[in-house]
Amino acid sequence: MKKIIAYQGEPGANSHIACSDVYPGWETLPCASFEDAFTAIGEGRADLGMIPIENSLAGRVADIHHFLPDSGLHIIGEYFLPIHFHLLGVKGARLEDLRSVYSHVHALGQCRKIIKRYGLKAVTTGDTAGSAREVAEWGDKSRASLAPELAAEIYGLDVLARFVEDEDHNTTRFIILSREPLRERIDGPMLTTFVFRVRNVPSALYKALGGFATNGVNMTKLESYMVNGEFAATQFLVDVEGHPEDPNLARALEELKFFSETVTILGAYPAHPFRQQLASAN
């Protein structure tokens, strides 16, 4: 049977591209929302999921940190996708014909220069690829979409201008989700992602994180967010280098548990080569 990977968005979206890059030949399952994608994986309608978790310009992707801890799913990999936007129009349209442009709010915000250059009215839609589909359906030469090139191929649009993003370092980090975790440590750099809530005692966070410093564990991500809308209930999402079976990380996690109400490991998985490129560049 053909393997299936789920993503949020319409065909032609950046998440669709990420699926095809990492798992060429797999069938892709577009989902209307992140919750639908999580459900498809959990129910077995998809073998894996490709979910964006953060962007180098826009920051973290909303809602993912709420869905992950209680999803019962496990992170088994990550992928970094450079994000490129193209100005798409219906067949025969020209740049001088355009009056308005449609796309996701982040895409519009990341392509301000070309919008200003042509004096276009920016209109927010729910999805980049969805805006391309709508432009194709309208058949109006005055309306354009900001979307990936794959969307132009799928919906039969012309590429009126290529690579129109304002910054060339726009990158989205995706996590790959599975119903089953990776059981064993593999060769090479690894990451471990977990969430925790500290006990309500003075200096609890300082003490909880101290074990990572004393054991030489590099923390690459630390984010806090409220739980159940309560200002007093804070949960932390963390990425660290290493595997829970590594002695230094095992000691750090043991110390963390002593000062925490809950600690839940969401996955231990190979670090993507993009991280090495970043380290070399710096």
Side-chain angles (χ1 to χ4, degrees):
M1 292 181 62
K2 203 166 190 178
K3 294 286 190 177
I4 300 174
I5 183 166
Y7 68 92
Q8 184 276 328
E10 297 197 31
N14 283 307
S15 295
H16 185 185
I17 295 171
C19 291
S20 300
D21 284 353
V22 182
Y23 296 98
W26 281 41
E27 182 179 338
T28 54
L29 177 63
C31 298
S33 67
F34 289 122
E35 190 170 11
D36 290 341
F38 275 72
T39 300
I41 306 161
E43 293 180 348
R45 290 184 283 115
D47 299 281
L48 299 176
M50 182 70 70
I51 304 295
I53 192 168
E54 55 192 335
N55 176 267
S56 60
L57 296 180
R60 77 180 178 195
V61 177
D63 296 334
I64 301 305
H65 53 291
H66 290 298
F67 291 137
L68 266 175
D70 300 321
S71 67
L73 303 178
H74 306 271
I75 305 173
I76 64 166
E78 64 173 353
Y79 181 62
F80 290 83
L81 177 70
I83 303 299
H84 300 297
F85 294 111
H86 309 282
L87 193 63
L88 313 180
V90 298
K91 292 294 183 182
R94 300 170 301 171
L95 288 170
E96 52 266 34
D97 296 328
L98 302 181
R99 297 292 180 271
S100 57
V101 61
Y102 298 75
S103 197
H104 188 274
V105 62
H106 287 165
L108 295 171
Q110 293 163 20
C111 301
R112 290 190 177 95
K113 291 179 182 177
I114 194 165
I115 294 173
K116 182 178 180 181
R117 184 187 311 161
Y118 292 101
L120 304 178
K121 178 184 177 183
V123 183
T124 301
T125 63
D127 180 68
T128 55
S131 72
R133 174 184 53 76
E134 289 176 330
V135 166
E137 291 173 351
W138 292 327
D140 184 343
K141 290 183 179 181
S142 72
R143 297 179 175 184
S145 164
L146 283 167
E149 189 169 7
L150 179 60
E153 298 173 10
I154 291 174
Y155 302 111
L157 298 175
D158 284 347
V159 180
L160 305 181
R162 297 180 181 276
F163 304 107
V164 297
E165 59 273 7
D166 296 338
E167 305 290 343
D168 59 7
H169 57 76
N170 187 1
T171 304
T172 294
R173 178 188 176 218
F174 291 83
I175 52 174
I176 302 165
L177 298 180
S178 171
R179 289 184 299 280
E180 298 294 329
L182 290 179
R183 298 294 181 184
E184 299 179 356
R185 197 195 198 294
I186 64 173
D187 293 335
M190 294 195 73
L191 290 177
T192 296
T193 297
F194 58 90
V195 293
F196 72 95
R197 289 178 62 179
V198 294
R199 293 161 55 191
N200 190 20
V201 296
S203 304
L205 179 60
Y206 173 80
K207 294 173 182 176
L209 297 180
F212 295 93
T214 56
N215 286 285
V217 176
N218 187 32
M219 187 172 293
T220 62
K221 179 188 182 78
L222 173 65
E223 288 191 355
S224 64
Y225 55 96
M226 289 187 296
V227 179
N228 299 324
E230 299 177 11
F231 286 98
T234 301
Q235 188 155 270
F236 296 87
L237 174 66
V238 183
D239 290 341
V240 294
E241 294 179 350
H243 188 279
E245 294 178 0
D246 295 344
N248 62 334
L249 182 50
R251 290 192 296 268
L253 289 171
E254 189 64 31
E255 193 165 336
L256 173 68
K257 291 175 183 177
F258 183 79
F259 293 105
S260 300
E261 290 184 359
T262 61
V263 178
T264 304
I265 293 179
L266 302 178
Y269 50 95
H272 190 268
F274 183 80
R275 293 182 180 273
Q276 285 296 109
Q277 298 174 24
L278 287 176
S280 300
N282 296 327

